[in-house]
Amino acid sequence: MRVAGPLRVVVLILTAGLTWIMGSILLGTHGSSFSRLQQLFSSPENAVTTEPRARKYKCGLPQPCPEQHLAFRVVSGAANVIGPKICLEDKMLMSSVKDNVGRGLNIALVNDVNDLLKFIRPLHEGTLVFVASYDDPATKMNDETRKIFSELGSTNAKELAFRDSWVFVGAKGVQDKSPFEQHVKNSKNTNKYEGWPEALELEGCIPQRTVGAQ
């Protein structure tokens, strides 16, 4: 039976390779040739490499916080499907996995305006306040709640409207506006989701001196 063309080429290549190896052994050059082959296949240039994973620090921050600072990450909900997350010093305080988030303003699962006022009115001086919206942060806010959030350092609380996305970190007794705030308005021209703007993510380091005794 005749060997097909492609198969014949493979057989010829294998035969030539074996002949070269045998000749190298007989001539005493196999060791150096084989060593070169080993070097070729073990060369770092030919090794499969993977880029090292970027190290993550507390709450997934790309770099560690300075001493006497608290690491945090606040993520708003995505539309009315994915719940918000609040992480402080690598501890997940609120998330869908912990089953302790709800639609509205997530401070401590407070979504009723009366309960919200009871919750934020008696805050002690220096208490940190982490807020992440989910679905709609504004419908159940009245003028007093907006005023209190403004006093906590918010710039956007007075402007929050139906289904806006909002993340905010403030503190009781701050003298200036908080640098930790993001706000995206609900607009059908710019919304990422149908009826909702994009989710927001806020992360950073907060000086511990702003934290007062409870």
Side-chain angles (χ1 to χ4, degrees):
M1 184 174 63
R2 299 181 62 184
V3 180
L7 183 58
R8 184 184 301 170
V9 173
V10 173
V11 172
L12 288 174
I13 292 174
L14 290 174
T15 302
L18 289 172
T19 302
W20 175 77
I21 293 173
M22 291 301 294
S24 299
I25 294 173
L26 292 173
L27 294 174
T29 60
H30 173 66
S32 60
S33 299
F34 191 68
S35 296
R36 284 196 294 271
L37 282 174
Q38 284 184 315
Q39 291 174 2
L40 176 64
F41 285 105
S42 63
S43 171
E45 296 178 358
N46 296 282
V48 178
T49 59
T50 56
E51 293 186 4
R53 294 183 179 179
R55 182 177 177 183
K56 294 293 185 180
Y57 296 89
K58 291 180 179 179
C59 291
L61 269 62
Q63 59 187 18
C65 287
E67 292 186 7
Q68 303 301 314
H69 282 67
L70 302 174
F72 78 90
R73 169 172 282 168
V74 180
V75 184
S76 71
N80 62 344
V81 180
I82 302 175
K85 298 177 182 179
I86 298 178
C87 175
L88 179 65
E89 281 295 282
D90 225 22
K91 294 181 180 179
M92 192 61 68
L93 304 181
M94 305 184 76
S95 70
S96 295
V97 174
K98 294 180 72 69
D99 196 25
N100 62 350
V101 297
R103 290 174 179 155
L105 292 174
N106 281 272
I107 307 171
L109 272 183
V110 177
N111 193 32
D112 181 87
V113 64
N114 294 321
D115 290 338
L116 176 60
L117 286 171
K118 291 178 183 178
F119 180 74
I120 61 178
R121 274 174 180 160
L123 292 179
H124 295 281
E125 196 79 4
T127 300
L128 290 174
V129 179
F130 296 82
V131 185
S133 66
Y134 183 24
D135 185 14
D136 174 32
T139 300
K140 294 184 178 181
M141 291 181 70
N142 60 15
D143 291 341
E144 185 177 358
T145 58
R146 293 174 188 272
K147 181 177 182 293
I148 291 176
F149 278 121
S150 297
E151 292 172 351
L152 292 172
S154 172
T155 302
N156 304 118
K158 294 180 179 180
E159 305 170 4
L160 289 177
F162 177 66
R163 286 185 175 175
D164 286 359
S165 284
W166 184 46
V167 287
F168 167 65
V169 179
K172 179 76 171 183
V174 295
Q175 301 300 317
D176 302 313
K177 293 301 181 182
S178 170
F180 304 114
E181 183 173 27
Q182 291 186 25
H183 172 224
V184 175
K185 296 193 70 65
N186 170 23
S187 171
K188 63 180 181 180
N189 297 323
T190 58
N191 282 348
K192 182 175 182 178
Y193 309 102
E194 185 178 353
W196 289 270
E198 63 184 295
L200 295 175
E201 183 171 333
L202 186 66
E203 62 180 34
C205 304
I206 303 176
Q208 289 188 5
R209 65 176 179 271
T210 61
V211 184
Q214 293 294 320

